[in-house]
Amino acid sequence: MPSQRILSGRGLVFLAVLVAAAVLVPVLSLAVPPASPFHLSAYAVTLVGKYLCYALLALALDLVWGYCGILSLGHGAFFALGGYAMGMYLMRQIGARGTYANPNLPDFMVFLNWHDLPVTWWGFSSFTYAMAMVLLVPGLLALVFGYFAFRSRVTGVYLSIITQALTYALLLAFFRNEMGFGGNNGLTDFKDILGFDIQSAGTRAALFSASCAALALGYVVAAAVTASKFGQVLVAIRDAESRTRFLGYRVETYKAAVFTLSAMMAGVAGALYVPQVGIINPGEFAPANSIEAVIWVAVGGRGTLVGAALGAVLVNWGKTFFTGVFPEYWLFLLGGLFVGVTLFLPQGILGLVDRLTAPRRPEPPAERPVAPDEQVLPAPVAE
Amino acid sequence: MTDPVLTSSLLYLDDVRVSFDGYKALRGLSLVLAPNEMRAIIGPNGAGKTTMMDVITGKTRPDTGTVFFGGSVDLTKRDEAEIANLGIGRKFQKPTVFENHSVDTNVLLALKAPRGAFDTLFGRAARDRRERIDGILRRIRLWDHRARRAGDLSHGQKQWLEIGMLLAQDPKLLLVDEPVAGMTDSETATTAELLREIARDHAVVVVEHDMAFVRDLGVKVTVLHEGAVLAEGPLDQVSADPRVVEVYLGR
Amino acid sequence: MPRKRMPSTRIVAALLALLAGIGAGLGAARAAPVDDALAHFAADKFPETDVGIDALVASGAPTAPAVLGALSDGRLFFDPGSRKVYVVDAAGTLDDAATGAKAADVTQGGLKKVRLNNAIRSKIAAAVGGLDLVSPDRTKRLAAADTAFAAHDAKARGAVEAALAKEEDPAIKAMLVQARAAIVAASGTGPEAERLDAIATLKARGDGDALNLVDQAGAAPDASPAVKAAAASAAAAIRFTLAVWQALQNAWYGLSLGSVLLLAAIGLAITFGVMGIINMAHGEMVMIGAYTTYVVQQALASSALGGASLLVAVPAAFLVAGAVGIAIERLIIRHLYGRPLETLLATWGVSLILQQLVRTVFGADNRPVAAPAFMAGSFHVGGLEITAGRMWIVVFTVGVFAALQIVLRATPFGLRMRAVTQNRRMASAMGISTGRIDALAFGLGSGIAGIAGVALSQIDNVSPNLGQSYIIDSFMVVVFGGVGNLWGTLVAALSLGVADKFLEPFAGAVLAKIAILVFIVLFIQKRPRGLFALRGRAVEA
């Protein structure tokens, strides 16, 4: 029977590493004295925690791109929306401790001379409500956007371009003060989360462990989805969309469903990211961010899930390293990565590993090559 | 709608017209297919064969004309997935299978079963599924290849796999576009056998260029030309028709 | 024509200086009226001085401007005994006010200053205007008439009417009639017929100033029902005229924005629209063109060609950007044909590299690119204000578009290119080297982007990020217009530009942009292949 096991050996190793990190890192950070060579600084914990959030974003992107062929250049928008939902909760937690000591309004609203809390902010004092929004806002946007786009059969690069336009439009919108999300400066100066000081080493370690847990959960969900018949249909859509349709599958429903699931995962990633970096601003909507996330997936190996997470951590570790040592060369390197991976390593690192370790195994999933004359786009110059 | 021709038909096309930017692909095509009938459609390039299939399967909406399935279902108002679920299967000219799935999975995905996203995400396998898949795999002579990646099959094997997927769909009507193009003679013979086998309990429309193959099938033939039916009948009668001769030889 | 009003004292001073020069040139004095007028100044009473000013202006004496200037500066003196009037000039010497000649035999000690108050000061200002109204210099008369209209000071009415009686130039005459109408309307007094006449004149003028004046005439406390009705209908008519001009102005802004969009997108219409290559580094080709302009300008700055550096920059930018484009096609894109998503990623990488390269070579800050003289300034067409730079960009865009159409339709290369994009296999079978055509076509698209960079360097900051700001817009334009259709790109760019500018007054620049983006995203849902999509089996997936 073609039903697959949900967790491969590689997946189990990945989960084991995450569990170990979730336990060990807090211990090394909190219980080991600072003098010890095994001590982890709060900075290091937060840095790696940030990578894990990126890894979850990459996982979400891999689910749609690697398995369903939807290259979203707007996943940063879902990440940022989740981040804003968390940021709004954190802003409400500040209470009267802001510069203007207004118990009802965040500082920037006082600064704008606002008197009432906008409807969009209602309920964000509640952690439960905020967490629901972390899932619902990106999910709903993805559902509505996906429903219309996929129903109209917007595919391939067209879809990529309009997802990019989506995040660009949100970028412009969130820059506006009138939107009520802090405009240019975004949301920052957070004090505490669930009553714990957001700066303390303990909270940071807890956030780190939560990121590990979210990534692990995200992985299990993604693995279960891709191993199910639903996942097989996704791959079928990726490889031969119209064949799938002529078999009676509602391609748009499948695409919208996986797109929505993926957007919610990205929202969770953003929500965990914000308390760790301490700020969320419209810059997170920048189209460049979304495209950068795509290269993480490509580097690790698309359609592998574990590879996507691995790629996100590797590329971001490289970014931290290079922007520290040779800031002027990082963009050359990142640009080179885009070119090099697409030209020489289309299956990413894990694809390469697979090919080297199991040369007799069939080729890993590839984007279906299209003969030039079969391409969608070339059309005659109009007369 | 009490037209007896319509109500007793499986597929009913009347005066179907399709144009693309002024190019008239179909110009008043009319065609009636009885349940369980097998029909061969021939015609030169550009006669409208593929466009006709596109219209029946919902890929292309006709500008005017009626298309009914089973005597009552208006196909012009449905999309591909709905039409597929009504019981119309289609095989493309170029073999189209899910290259990255195993042969097994290809058939599984085609197997008649609930198609909703919720069903496939949470649904459990039906008990009789295995036997049905195995039966189909044997019938299309791919039992020994069931674990292989579909993309690694030969051209002919892919054609059979696609026919096998149509069988798994268990449609009332199969549309088969040039099933033997690019096949070896022995593969062609096997394919003809396969189609005749299928035709026992399914209606089949075969579009084909290969006259020997059409003769082999031994069924009623419809000749299309410039988007309309030129002639219809047994192959011998049709090929004696001077208009058909002119279309095929006079060009 | 600059509409900005100079501070009135400076105008007065400047005009006085000019008039003084003319007066001195004329030399010889005219006798009686001047002396009579000056006699009023010697009376040492404000009402007398007031009368004297009018008399002086009426006399048309060449020294009148100098005298009035001296009066307003407190440099006008009189001899209580002889009742003669003297002007003290800047050097402290005394001149006879009537003749302008040096009065060597008089000393300032025995003289008395002609006193001033605020009423006199404003009287002088009006009088100076009145003087200009009858100046022999046509430009000056026109300017004075314009000023009289803008000031619509009731005191100037006499001067305006006097000038009107003498004036023969029809343009100035019309202006004076308007000035008189303005004075009547603003004063809110006078017989009904006069007011109605004024309203009619102002209605014919039809600008924002006229609207204000008509409203004032209608709001006058003693305005008759007829005047009120006339004012209301005139105001409505003017408002309509103004709205039409405003709409035309918006249309022009939109056209101007649209031509910038078209310029940025037109290269993409070739590479993406016709060839199907997703080139995310397209914006960087535009940036390279802009930097080429900068380099050319720097290199030619000291040479004889300096003034024509833009003309040199156009072919240079085409060649540089085109060469870069061909290099990208040969090195990278060629290996990715048929894999559009991967092409997208690889070219994004190229764009990052090019940005950083330019940043490393030229620095991260903006490079100054000077505008040539013919692109500076602005002019009016009716109620439209048109800046020369924008106008030339529109003209340039039309030129580039036309040239591209000619290249695609009338040259062997264009023919081959269309053959390759329509049926690659057939073209190849006919002996066309498809690889070479691909490279050249990509080079053409990139080169046009480079040319766009030359124009954009005139209106945008030349920085490494220049291209980034155009890439999304460019894709939107091409997708909206319909892939593979240059005319569609044209219509899309212009209509998006105009729509943006018409939305801006209601929604603000940012919201207008968001609205346009949302509109296009929705539009693509409805018509995935754009405005002018080609239908047919060939373009269906």
Side-chain angles (χ1 to χ4, degrees):
Chain A
M1 199 66 191
S3 71
Q4 295 161 298
R5 270 192 310 150
I6 290 176
L7 295 173
S8 58
R10 182 185 286 151
L12 287 172
V13 171
F14 179 67
L15 286 177
V17 169
L18 284 176
V19 170
V23 174
L24 271 181
V25 166
V27 169
L28 293 180
S29 168
L30 301 172
V32 176
S36 159
F38 294 105
H39 174 73
L40 272 176
S41 70
Y43 168 77
V45 172
T46 302
L47 190 67
V48 182
K50 208 172 88 175
Y51 295 165
L52 293 179
C53 297
Y54 288 147
L56 183 54
L57 172 61
L59 199 70
L61 196 54
D62 193 23
L63 194 55
V64 288
W65 183 34
Y67 289 88
C68 199
I70 303 167
L71 177 54
S72 164
L73 296 184
H75 253 52
F78 304 126
F79 181 83
L81 286 172
Y84 264 96
M86 174 61 100
M88 286 159 79
Y89 162 74
L90 295 173
M91 284 305 268
R92 300 299 291 138
Q93 292 310 106
I94 298 174
R97 286 171 290 169
T99 316
Y100 295 106
N102 187 319
N104 296 320
L105 295 181
D107 273 356
F108 76 89
M109 291 187 192
V110 181
F111 184 75
L112 288 173
N113 259 324
W114 290 8
H115 300 293
D116 301 304
L117 198 65
V119 183
T120 43
W121 281 73
W122 291 3
F124 273 94
S125 306
S126 149
F127 185 74
T128 320
Y129 177 81
M131 291 310 101
M133 289 299 125
V134 162
L135 290 172
L136 284 180
V137 173
L140 268 179
L141 176 65
L143 186 63
V144 172
F145 182 86
Y147 172 77
F148 283 111
F150 300 133
R151 194 191 56 165
S152 317
R153 315 237 171 130
V154 179
T155 55
V157 290
Y158 285 88
L159 188 88
S160 301
I161 291 169
I162 65 166
T163 52
Q164 195 180 21
L166 170 78
T167 190
Y168 184 55
L170 284 169
L171 169 78
L172 294 175
F174 272 74
F175 263 122
R176 290 169 55 84
N177 281 328
E178 295 86 335
M179 279 286 286
F181 299 111
N184 204 0
N185 300 322
L187 311 175
T188 188
D189 292 330
F190 308 132
K191 304 280 189 228
D192 45 34
I193 178 168
L194 289 170
F196 299 101
D197 177 8
I198 208 163
Q199 302 286 349
S200 77
T203 311
R204 283 169 175 240
L207 283 168
F208 177 89
S209 298
S211 304
C212 287
L215 182 56
L217 184 66
Y219 174 73
V220 172
V221 169
V225 166
T226 53
S228 71
K229 190 178 171 190
F230 178 92
Q232 292 173 333
V233 175
L234 291 185
V235 173
I237 291 170
R238 180 193 72 191
D239 292 346
E241 181 167 331
S242 56
R243 166 38 86 215
T244 317
R245 201 169 261 137
F246 284 123
L247 280 183
Y249 290 99
R250 293 214 146 276
V251 168
E252 56 272 27
T253 314
Y254 278 81
K255 283 183 169 179
V258 73
F259 195 62
T260 305
L261 174 67
S262 170
M264 288 161 98
M265 285 168 67
V268 171
L272 283 163
Y273 174 83
V274 167
Q276 298 191 65
V277 298
I279 185 170
I280 173 81
N281 64 27
E284 293 297 334
F285 285 104
N289 285 13
S290 295
I291 302 185
E292 219 176 299
V294 173
I295 203 63
W296 307 338
V297 180
V299 165
R302 78 178 100 114
T304 61
L305 297 181
V306 175
L310 188 70
V313 173
L314 277 180
V315 174
N316 281 292
W317 176 77
K319 184 177 188 174
T320 308
F321 176 75
F322 271 92
T323 47
V325 186
F326 316 106
E328 62 275 31
Y329 292 114
W330 166 244
L331 275 188
F332 284 129
L333 198 75
L334 184 64
L337 212 52
F338 272 97
V339 177
V341 167
T342 45
L343 282 183
F344 305 115
L345 204 58
Q347 302 309 325
I349 294 171
L350 282 196
L352 186 71
V353 169
D354 282 345
R355 204 176 315 166
L356 293 180
T357 53
R360 284 172 167 272
R361 266 178 59 172
E363 286 280 293
E367 185 179 322
R368 189 174 67 101
V370 185
D373 57 329
E374 196 202 332
Q375 271 186 64
V376 180
L377 289 172
V381 178
E383 292 308 315
Chain B
M1 308 239 178
T2 47
D3 181 359
V5 181
L6 171 63
T7 45
S8 66
S9 72
L10 178 68
L11 181 68
Y12 178 93
L13 276 75
D14 187 33
D15 196 28
V16 173
R17 291 167 193 275
V18 173
S19 63
F20 300 114
D21 284 334
Y23 169 70
K24 294 193 176 75
L26 292 183
R27 317 178 182 203
L29 176 69
S30 301
L31 187 81
V32 179
L33 194 74
N36 273 334
E37 182 184 349
M38 185 173 190
R39 176 79 59 92
I41 300 210
I42 61 173
N45 277 327
K49 294 169 302 201
T50 302
T51 306
M52 178 194 80
M53 291 218 171
D54 286 347
V55 167
I56 297 170
T57 54
K59 188 176 175 188
T60 301
R61 296 236 178 285
D63 300 336
T64 58
T66 45
V67 185
F68 278 96
F69 181 64
S72 59
V73 183
D74 186 352
L75 293 184
T76 60
K77 298 205 164 41
R78 318 241 165 176
D79 69 9
E80 293 104 312
E82 279 175 304
I83 291 172
N85 288 325
L86 282 172
I88 298 183
R90 178 175 185 182
K91 198 202 133 334
F92 293 100
Q93 193 168 335
K94 219 174 69 182
T96 320
V97 295
F98 304 125
E99 308 237 329
N100 287 303
H101 280 312
S102 66
V103 170
D104 232 6
T105 309
N106 267 278
V107 178
L108 171 74
L109 287 174
L111 209 58
K112 196 171 190 175
R115 296 291 202 231
F118 195 81
D119 304 306
T120 54
L121 192 53
F122 299 108
R124 294 261 60 86
R127 207 165 271 274
D128 61 341
R129 220 190 245 176
R130 183 71 262 171
E131 292 115 64
R132 289 203 49 213
I133 294 174
D134 287 354
I136 289 163
L137 287 174
R138 290 212 173 81
R139 214 163 157 187
I140 59 171
R141 289 121 182 114
L142 287 177
W143 167 251
D144 295 334
H145 302 280
R146 64 189 179 279
R148 282 178 77 189
R149 187 175 159 269
D152 297 338
L153 297 177
S154 75
H155 177 78
Q157 287 170 325
K158 282 183 191 169
Q159 297 275 31
W160 296 337
L161 174 56
E162 205 181 356
I163 292 173
M165 289 163 75
L166 289 186
L167 282 174
Q169 241 182 301
D170 193 20
K172 297 191 185 83
L173 169 65
L174 268 87
L175 304 173
V176 188
D177 202 351
E178 301 199 21
V180 297
M183 277 191 174
T184 62
D185 283 350
S186 74
E187 281 173 336
T188 303
T190 312
T191 308
E193 199 184 314
L194 202 54
L195 284 176
R196 272 196 303 269
E197 216 175 295
I198 291 166
R200 266 181 247 143
D201 41 11
H202 300 90
V204 182
V205 173
V206 185
V207 165
E208 189 49 73
H209 273 307
D210 187 330
M211 283 301 170
F213 177 78
V214 172
R215 191 171 298 280
D216 235 18
L217 290 177
V219 295
K220 189 172 168 187
V221 173
T222 298
V223 185
L224 290 194
H225 178 56
E226 290 183 343
V229 174
L230 185 68
E232 210 164 64
L235 183 62
D236 293 331
Q237 178 199 322
V238 162
S239 49
D241 189 320
R243 290 172 306 165
V244 175
V245 173
E246 199 206 319
V247 164
Y248 269 89
L249 303 176
R251 285 189 305 146
Chain C
M1 190 200 292
R3 290 223 133 205
K4 223 171 104 185
R5 223 169 287 150
M6 282 198 244
S8 58
T9 51
R10 274 180 54 202
I11 295 186
V12 169
L15 292 178
L16 286 179
L18 265 166
L19 284 175
I22 294 163
L26 287 173
R30 263 188 279 174
V34 188
D35 293 328
D36 288 348
L38 290 175
H40 292 289
F41 293 124
D44 200 18
K45 281 179 189 133
F46 288 127
E48 283 294 315
T49 309
D50 192 290
V51 174
I53 293 170
D54 284 338
L56 186 63
V57 171
S59 76
T63 56
V67 174
L68 288 178
L71 177 58
S72 89
D73 296 350
R75 290 183 287 105
L76 194 68
F77 293 83
F78 67 92
D79 184 339
S82 68
R83 298 181 82 85
K84 275 185 84 89
V85 181
Y86 300 96
V87 172
V88 180
D89 69 16
T93 51
L94 285 168
D95 299 327
D96 185 311
T99 61
K102 263 212 176 72
D105 51 331
V106 196
T107 55
Q108 209 176 327
L111 301 182
K112 234 183 129 186
K113 193 157 137 187
V114 182
R115 288 180 303 144
L116 279 172
N117 64 6
N118 282 341
I120 298 294
R121 281 203 183 87
S122 55
K123 176 86 184 175
I124 298 170
V128 169
L131 275 179
D132 279 351
L133 285 174
V134 293
S135 158
D137 184 344
R138 181 183 181 274
T139 340
K140 202 166 285 171
R141 290 206 307 281
L142 194 58
D146 199 34
T147 311
F149 175 85
H152 47 79
D153 181 355
K155 291 198 212 63
R157 180 163 183 179
V160 168
E161 277 179 346
L164 196 51
K166 281 202 257 173
E167 187 58 62
E168 274 158 14
D169 186 308
I172 302 178
K173 206 162 183 167
M175 195 70 222
L176 285 168
V177 170
Q178 289 177 12
R180 184 177 61 187
I183 292 167
V184 170
S187 70
T189 55
E192 185 181 63
E194 192 175 56
R195 295 197 211 183
L196 290 174
D197 200 36
I199 289 169
T201 307
L202 291 168
K203 180 179 167 184
R205 180 178 163 114
D207 64 357
D209 293 336
L211 179 61
N212 271 335
L213 292 163
V214 167
D215 282 342
Q216 283 181 43
D222 63 338
S224 67
V227 169
K228 277 190 174 145
S233 98
I238 294 173
R239 283 206 177 85
F240 177 74
T241 317
L242 286 178
V244 169
W245 282 118
Q246 187 57 47
L248 284 174
Q249 184 77 58
N250 281 341
W252 164 253
Y253 286 147
L255 200 67
S256 159
L257 175 67
S259 66
V260 169
L261 287 176
L262 178 60
L263 211 46
I266 195 169
L268 203 65
I270 301 276
T271 54
F272 176 58
V274 180
M275 301 176 68
I277 298 169
I278 318 301
N279 180 18
M280 295 298 279
H282 174 78
E284 278 57 46
M285 301 296 136
V286 176
M287 175 197 68
I288 286 173
Y291 272 92
T292 306
T293 314
Y294 167 72
V295 170
V296 166
Q297 206 164 62
Q298 295 295 307
L300 297 182
S302 52
S303 75
L305 279 169
S309 68
L310 279 194
L311 290 182
V312 181
V314 170
F318 181 81
L319 291 177
V320 173
V324 174
I326 288 176
I328 295 173
E329 201 277 341
R330 288 287 87 182
L331 291 174
I332 297 169
I333 293 173
R334 182 165 64 104
H335 305 288
L336 296 172
Y337 275 128
R339 292 192 285 169
L341 296 183
E342 308 205 323
T343 312
L344 187 156
L345 293 179
T347 51
W348 175 261
V350 171
S351 86
L352 293 182
I353 293 171
L354 289 175
Q355 277 174 49
Q356 188 58 36
L357 196 66
V358 167
R359 201 172 284 127
T360 308
V361 174
F362 292 96
D365 39 329
N366 299 342
R367 295 285 105 190
V369 173
F374 69 89
M375 289 186 73
S378 65
F379 56 92
H380 282 85
V381 177
L384 276 187
E385 187 179 8
I386 293 177
T387 46
R390 292 282 177 168
M391 187 198 73
W392 283 112
I393 286 178
V394 173
V395 171
F396 184 69
T397 307
V398 171
V400 170
F401 187 83
L404 185 61
Q405 287 286 9
I406 291 169
V407 166
L408 288 184
R409 282 150 187 270
T411 65
F413 164 70
L415 208 65
R416 288 199 184 116
M417 193 185 130
R418 288 193 293 155
V420 169
T421 53
Q422 281 171 29
N423 192 334
R424 173 169 295 267
R425 212 172 290 161
M426 180 65 84
S428 176
M430 287 168 65
I432 296 174
S433 162
T434 54
R436 221 176 121 244
I437 294 294
D438 284 337
L440 287 178
F442 195 79
L444 174 68
S446 303
I448 290 171
I451 290 182
V454 178
L456 295 183
S457 74
Q458 294 297 317
I459 54 167
D460 206 339
N461 295 327
V462 179
S463 79
N465 303 326
L466 173 76
Q468 287 290 298
S469 38
Y470 291 100
I471 184 73
I472 290 182
D473 286 340
S474 303
F475 270 108
M476 289 292 131
V477 165
V478 175
V479 169
F480 180 52
V483 157
N485 187 329
L486 284 182
W487 287 103
T489 307
L490 176 88
V491 174
L494 296 185
S495 48
L496 289 182
V498 171
D500 189 300
K501 288 298 172 188
F502 272 90
L503 279 176
E504 240 176 51
F506 307 104
V510 177
L511 270 188
K513 193 150 180 68
I514 296 172
I516 298 271
L517 281 176
V518 170
F519 165 75
I520 296 176
V521 168
L522 291 178
F523 180 85
I524 293 175
Q525 324 276 351
K526 267 273 155 245
R527 300 193 60 170
R529 308 242 162 240
L531 269 181
F532 300 97
L534 299 155
R535 265 186 83 212
R537 267 172 43 189
V539 290
E540 278 180 22

